[in-house]
Structure formats: C-alpha cells, structure tokens
C-alpha cells in the first residue's frame, strides 16, 4: 500500500502539491475562529457537586454578587490608608460604576484589610460569560480606567480576580507562543543544517509543516465548533511544538531512507518510491500510536483534555498524510539537488560511533538491558514524592503579572481564602420553606470544621427554599490544605442537613476538589486504554503477541523515569509544593505515544535486518548502527522543540516542556537505542511469536528480500544491501 502511495505522488508531484495548496486556502478561509475558555468550572461535567452548586446558585440567587474582578488599593509609600485615601477609593468606586462598561453589572466597595493598608472595589460581571474572551476585554478596560481615575492621588491600584487573570493569561500565552515558535524554528533549522549541510533541506520541513499547521488549525476549529468542545490558550502552544516536532521526525525518517536508497544506486524518483515503501509502515504505525493515545483523552472528564485529545490527533493525522504525500512530492520534484551544496549524501559514512554502540549491544545484550533498565527504575523512584497543584491561573502565567500580585497580596492582607470563599447551599427537597431557626446551629457546625476561618448564613432566596452559607477558609483556594478542608466541609454539610433538605458545596476549592477526583478517574481510565490501544498498533505492525508487551513496558518505565526526574527537579530542587495536576496525564500521552515512535522505528529496522538472515543479536547490533543516527537526530530535535516551551515564562508550560523533552530524550537515547534492542536480542526469535516476522520468505542464502521488508513486497528494488552488508 505504501509503495503505491509513493508511486502515485512521485509520478504526479505537481498535482499533489496543488491539491495541498487548494485544501489549505479553502480550509483557512472558511474555518471558524477558535474561542478560548479559562473558566476552570467549565472543564467539569455537570454531575460533579461543585457544578451542581453553581447551577443552584444561578437558579436561587440569579442576582447574587460574585466578584469577577477585584481592584486592590494601597498607598504608593506602603503606609496605612488615610481618610483622604479612603475618600479617593470611594470616589473611584462610584465613578467606575457610572461608566457602564460592557459585561460589568455591579461595582461595590469591598472590606478594608485589618492592618489598614489595603482596600477593595468588587466588580460583578455577567456570569453567563464567565471565562470568555469578552470578560478579559472588560478587564482591560477596567484596568485602564482605574489607572486614570487614580491619577493625582497617593494610591496605587491593581486589578485582580478571574477576569483579570484571564486577560493576563492571554497576554502571557501570546508572548509564550511567540517565544516557542521562534525557538522551535531556530532549533529545527540549525539542527538540520548540521545534519545535512543543505539549506534547502533545512528550510523544507519548516515550510511544508507551516502549511500543514494552517490546515490542522482550521480543521481543529471546525471540530471544536461541531462537537462543542472547550478551548484553552495553552493548546495553541502545544500544537506548535507537536506539529513541528513530530513533522520533523517523520521528515527525518523519510529523508534518511531516501538518502540511503540514492547511495545504493536507485534512480532519484525510484529512490523516493522505495523510501516511502520501506519506511511508510513505520511512520504510519508511529503516527497511529500517537493518534490513538491522543484520542484516548476523549475518555477524560476534564473539558481541557477532551479538547486537547482530538485537536492533537487531528494535527498528527494531517502531519502523517503530509509525510506520505506532500514531502515525497516536493523532494521528488527537486531531486538530489535538495542536498545541495553538500556532496556527503553520495557516500556512506562509517557511522563509527553507532557501529561501536551496535557491537556493544550485540556482544553484551544482558548487561545493556540491565544497566539501562536500572537507570530508568532509579529515576522512577521520584514518583513517590509526587504532589499535585490546581491553580491554573498562577500556573499559566508569571508571578509578576498584575492579577498574580493582587492574589498574593490579598492572601497576606486578608484571610487566604477570602478572595475565593466557599458557599454551602442548603435547599428544601419538598419545596417548603426552610426552618430559619436552625441556621445559626448549622453555620456553627460549618465554622467549627478544621481549616475554616469563619462561616455565616449570608442570604436566603425569595421563596425561602434555599439558604447560602458563606464559608471562608484559612487557606488559598487551590492549595492542598484548602482542598482537604472543603472535603471536610462537604462531609459536615451533608451529614448535618436536616430531613427534607439537601446541601451542596460550591466555590473554587470545591471545583478543585472535583478536578482532583476527575484526574484520578482519568489515571484509571485513560492510561490503560491508551496503553492497550498502542499495544494493538504494535501487534499489528510486528505481527507479534510477545513484542508489544515488553515494548509498552519499556515505555512505561520511561514515563516513570520522566515523572520521577520532574518531581526531583521542580518539587525537591525548586521547593515547589507540587506539579500542575494535568502534567502526568499529558506527559504520559506524549512520552508513551511519541516515545513509541522511536521504539517502532528501531524494532522495524531490527526486523528488517533479521529478515535478511541475521541472528537476533547481530540484527540488534546492525539496527542500532543504521537506525541509530535517525533516532538520535529525530529525538534531539523533538526533545529540543518541546524544551522551547520552557521559554513561555509560566510554570505549567515550563514543567510540561521539561518533562516531555526529558521523556523524549529517555525514549530515544535510552529505550530505543539500548533497552529495546538488547531485550529483543535476548528474547531472540520468540519475540516475534506467533508470526515469525523476523524471518524472510526467501530461500536462505539468496540475499533477496521478497516480501519480508518493513514496507512489504518490493520486487523492483535493484539493490537490497551492498555486498558488505552495509546500510546508511
């Protein structure tokens, strides 16, 4: 099949390129805009208690005051607020409300801090648009107006709250995307120039993948709108890296094999056909593993991951099609001039380092497997210290952003939980009014919960059927202590609700509590499903029942080593309380799915060498010698491109960038080069049971391939390997 694809695109390169250009123009011109949602509650399904509480609040207290933005005032000299300062705060609050800014429903004064150094203005916005871009726009107007109104006073005013955080996230995301894009571009360009010493070949993947990115983004926007998925600004940053990183991987897989076929004497167009035929199955299987793993995210209960899964699967699917059609068409049109001005492509290098590594694996497979395995196990021990954090806002932007400064100062000046109080809604089950005489006792029990600073009954709806108890925690909403406390609040609220009443607990800490539950559900669901489906892909590729088990086990070890190293560096080394809660899920899918690419490429080459009549140990050594340069180059580029995410300046992308780049490096330079080939050499022919996929279909000693190659039957190949048995 892959040889037929190669033949078609190589014989009709112009039409293939024109078809891609037409598709790009049509999709980009008609695709809808991709919205972004930063409201954490929108990530959860309606079955969770925090979402039920939010829905109840909308019904029982539609005009309830919940600030979306908070203006924090302090003196420029850091002293206590004077009477004149308080008059200025009152004036600014009144004038701000009189401006009738879009989305702003109410502007009221907030409580001053106990130390007298801070005062607040609370701004309520339309709750229907919480987390939407229009509220970030409103926050920008508010911020500008506040600065203008405070001119000529002794006050320094900053805007915080969820709407301001959404605005700062947008700004941080744009800056991060620019840095990631530039870093990715430079790394790929420089590395390809070093590898091939050919400018055309260095720029070619960047140009073609840029076209692929435009098409992929358009298709993702269509899918988001069609299926009503949630969007998030962090996805765009991840997409840049996935498209260029994975796209360059597939480009390298193809170009190394194309160069090999030219060195073996193929005519240029036939060389590309044979390259697609030989490496096409490995590329398709590698992409299939990535796509399957990403699609497993649709099983997640978090809207963020539900969106990310299909989006990344679409991106990789388009990249795969481009790798099998667009790139072969463009390269076949240019021909060997693509390597200009270098002449090194005409001769096979000695590959002395990889040949030596191959001989080492061939001679001592048990020692190689043991040492590489012990390294992975040792790094995996760091998992024991793993903790999760849930503050997406501070995790997705630097601490110096204005909204983060407000959050930090409010935690110090007020009760840490004052910025995001917890609400307990007590409702009548039979529609009868609640017994108000029981309210003080109920509030007292809520206030007595360990970790609660205060609790009071704040309002009752007009029908008297629902009461809102405001519970202020001692801890900031996203901390482990706050999440543990809200769990105890739920227990007390539920157990002390009188007969005929029902209690639900809402607020940010309650949302984080439910996110924690949802993530644990995803660990139990997404991880095993993704692993099982990747094993199926490996089984179909290798026609083996045995090999997929130790291949997926090795990738699992790589995941453990990566998470362990990330814990040691960011938690132990930098003293952080934990890693972003979604990191293990994302890391698992990237490391397991994309890391499997290198295992697939190496094991497919090992099988190809074995089908030429080599014994398992020799086949492992030759596979490392010949596929090692490709894996090293692809692994370095992909790891380096993911590392550019660390330039974004926020902890979420920094942790993600380090973890995934480290995991890719482990997958390429430990698993694929040493652990997997050495294990395969030790297991021998049994690794391919029951299909005997390592045995060619020709008579021993003939040296012909028949149909026993990675790509299937290649009767037209004039040379399978040179007399010395060398390949590049």
């Amino acid at each position: 099949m892959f040889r037929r694809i190669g033949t078609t695109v190589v014989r009709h390169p112009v039409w293939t390129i024109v078809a891609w250009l037409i598709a790009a123009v049509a999709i980009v011109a008609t695709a809808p805009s991709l919205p972004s949602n930063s409201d954490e509650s929108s990530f959860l399904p309606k079955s969770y208690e925090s979402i039920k509480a939010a829905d109840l609040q909308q019904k029982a207290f539609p005009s309830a005051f919940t600030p979306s933005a908070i203006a924090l005032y302090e003196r420029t000299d850091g002293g206590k607020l004077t009477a004149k300062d308080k008059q200025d705060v009152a004036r600014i609050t009144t004038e701000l409300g009189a401006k009738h800014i879009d989305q702003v429903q109410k502007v009221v004064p907030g409580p001053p801090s106990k130390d007298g150094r801070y005062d607040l203005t609370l701004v309520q916005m339309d709750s229907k648009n919480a987390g939407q871009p229009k509220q970030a726009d409103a926050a920008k107007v508010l911020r500008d107006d506040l600065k203008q109104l405070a001119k000529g006073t002794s006050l320094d005013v900053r805007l915080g709250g969820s709407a301001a955080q959404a605005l700062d996230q947008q700004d941080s995301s744009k800056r991060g995307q620019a840095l990631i894009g530039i870093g990715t571009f430079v790394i790929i360009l420089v590395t390809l120039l070093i590898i091939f010493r050919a400018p055309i070949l260095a720029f070619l993947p960047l140009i073609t993948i840029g076209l692929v990115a435009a098409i992929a983004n358009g298709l993702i926007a269509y899918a988001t709108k069609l299926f009503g998925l949630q969007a998030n600004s962090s996805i765009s940053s991840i997409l840049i890296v996935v498209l260029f990183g994975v796209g360059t991987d597939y480009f390298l897989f193809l170009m190394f094999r194309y160069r090999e076929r030219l060195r073996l004497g193929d005519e240029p167009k036939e060389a590309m056909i044979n390259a697609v035929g030989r490496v096409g199955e490995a590329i398709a299987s590698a992409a299939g593993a990535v796509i399957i793993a990403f699609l497993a995210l649709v099983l997640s209960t978090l809207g963020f991951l539900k969106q990310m899964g299909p989006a990344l699967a679409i991106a990789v699917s388009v990249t795969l099609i481009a790798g099998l059609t667009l790139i072969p068409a463009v390269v076949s049109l240019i021909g060997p001039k693509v390597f200009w001005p270098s002449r090194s492509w005409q001769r096979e290098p000695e590959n002395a380092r990889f040949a030596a590594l191959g001989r080492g694996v061939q001679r001592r497979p048990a020692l190689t497997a043991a040492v590489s395995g012990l390294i992975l196990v040792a790094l995996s021990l760091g998992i024991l210290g793993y903790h999760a954090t849930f503050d997406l806002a501070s995790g997705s932007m630097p601490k110096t952003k204005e909204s983060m400064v407000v959050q930090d100062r409010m935690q110090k000046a007020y009760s840490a939980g004052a910025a995001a109080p917890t609400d307990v809604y007590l409702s009548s089950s039979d529609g009868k009014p609640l017994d108000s005489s029981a309210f003080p006792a109920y509030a007292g029990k809520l206030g007595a919960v360990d970790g609660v600073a205060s609790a009071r009954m704040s309002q009752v709806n007009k029908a008297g059927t629902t009461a809102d108890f405001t519970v202020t925690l001692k801890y900031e909403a996203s901390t482990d202590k706050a999440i543990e406390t809200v769990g105890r609040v739920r227990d007390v609220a539920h157990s002390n609700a009188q007969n005929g009443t029902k209690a639900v607990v809402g607020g940010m800490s309650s949302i984080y509590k439910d996110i924690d539950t949802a993530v644990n559900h995803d660990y139990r669901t997404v991880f095993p499903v993704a692993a099982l489906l990747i094993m199926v892909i490996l089984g179909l590729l290798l026609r083996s029942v045995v090999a997929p088990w130790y291949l997926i086990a090795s990738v699992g070890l790589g995941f453990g080593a990566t998470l362990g190293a990330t814990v040691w560096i960011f938690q132990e080394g930098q003293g952080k309380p934990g890693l972003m809660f979604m990191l293990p899920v994302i890391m698992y899918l990237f490391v397991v799915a994309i890391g499997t690419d290198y295992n697939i490429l190496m094991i497919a080459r090992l099988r190809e060498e074995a089908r030429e009549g080599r014994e398992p140990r020799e086949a492992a050594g030759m596979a490392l010698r010949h596929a090692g340069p490709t894996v090293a180059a692809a692994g370095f580029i992909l790891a380096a491109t993911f590392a550019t995410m660390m330039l974004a300046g926020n902890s979420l992308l920094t942790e993600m960038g380090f973890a995934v780049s480290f995991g890719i490096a482990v997958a390429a330079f430990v698993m694929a080069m040493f652990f997997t080939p050495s294990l395969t050499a030790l297991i021998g022919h049994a690794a391919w049971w029951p299909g005997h996929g390592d045995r060619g279909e020709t008579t021993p000693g003939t040296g012909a391939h028949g149909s026993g190659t990675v790509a299937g039957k290649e009767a037209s190949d004039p040379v399978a390997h040179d007399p010395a048995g060398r390949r590049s």
Side-chain angles (χ1 to χ4, degrees), residues 258-296:
Y258 174 61
R259 187 176 65 179
E260 174 185 336
R261 298 310 306 177
L262 289 174
R263 287 171 176 168
L264 292 175
D266 285 6
E267 182 271 331
K269 289 189 179 295
E270 189 66 21
M272 180 53 72
I273 293 172
N274 285 333
V276 175
R278 282 178 176 268
V279 84
E281 186 179 11
I283 291 176
S285 299
V290 178
I291 292 166
I292 289 280
F294 287 158
L295 285 177

Side-chain angles (χ1 to χ4, degrees), residues 457-646:
M457 199 288 292
S458 55
Q459 58 184 329
V460 180
N461 69 339
K462 291 181 180 179
T465 55
T466 301
D468 175 12
F469 294 82
T470 300
V471 179
T472 304
L473 307 183
K474 295 179 180 178
Y475 316 107
E476 195 275 320
S478 64
T479 61
D480 287 343
K481 288 184 177 180
I483 293 169
E484 291 170 3
T485 301
V486 88
R488 293 191 290 269
V489 169
R490 283 183 177 182
D491 292 339
V492 171
H494 297 162
S495 61
N496 287 279
Q498 295 178 339
N499 291 335
T501 65
K502 181 180 179 181
V504 290
V505 180
M508 289 309 304
S509 294
S510 185
I511 289 172
Y512 291 134
K513 173 74 174 174
D514 287 339
I515 289 177
D516 187 28
T517 303
V519 169
N520 289 330
H521 165 271
D522 291 349
Y523 290 163
R524 297 189 301 270
T525 306
V526 177
F527 281 22
V529 168
L532 180 63
L533 293 175
I534 291 174
M535 284 181 65
V536 171
I537 293 279
L538 291 170
L540 293 173
L541 168 67
L542 304 174
R543 283 79 168 174
S544 166
V545 173
V546 177
W549 285 97
Y550 68 83
L551 289 176
I552 202 69
S554 71
V555 177
L557 267 179
F559 164 77
T562 303
L563 182 55
T566 307
V567 168
W568 273 332
I569 288 175
F570 288 94
Q571 282 188 207
E572 307 298 333
Q574 296 186 8
K576 290 188 175 181
L579 304 177
M580 290 305 296
F581 69 91
M582 65 182 69
L583 183 65
V585 176
I586 295 171
M587 193 179 73
Y588 174 87
L589 292 168
F590 278 98
V591 173
V592 170
I594 298 178
T596 303
D597 282 10
Y598 305 122
N599 265 344
I600 286 175
L601 186 68
M602 185 62 74
I603 205 74
R605 187 60 186 248
L606 193 154
R607 182 181 66 174
E608 186 176 337
E609 297 293 343
R611 283 178 168 178
E612 292 179 7
R614 295 182 174 89
E615 287 302 309
R617 293 194 179 195
E618 183 187 3
M622 294 299 290
L624 181 53
R625 174 184 178 181
H626 299 310
T630 309
V631 170
F636 172 79
I637 288 178
L638 191 59
T641 51
F642 271 105
T644 61
M645 295 172 70
M646 299 173 70

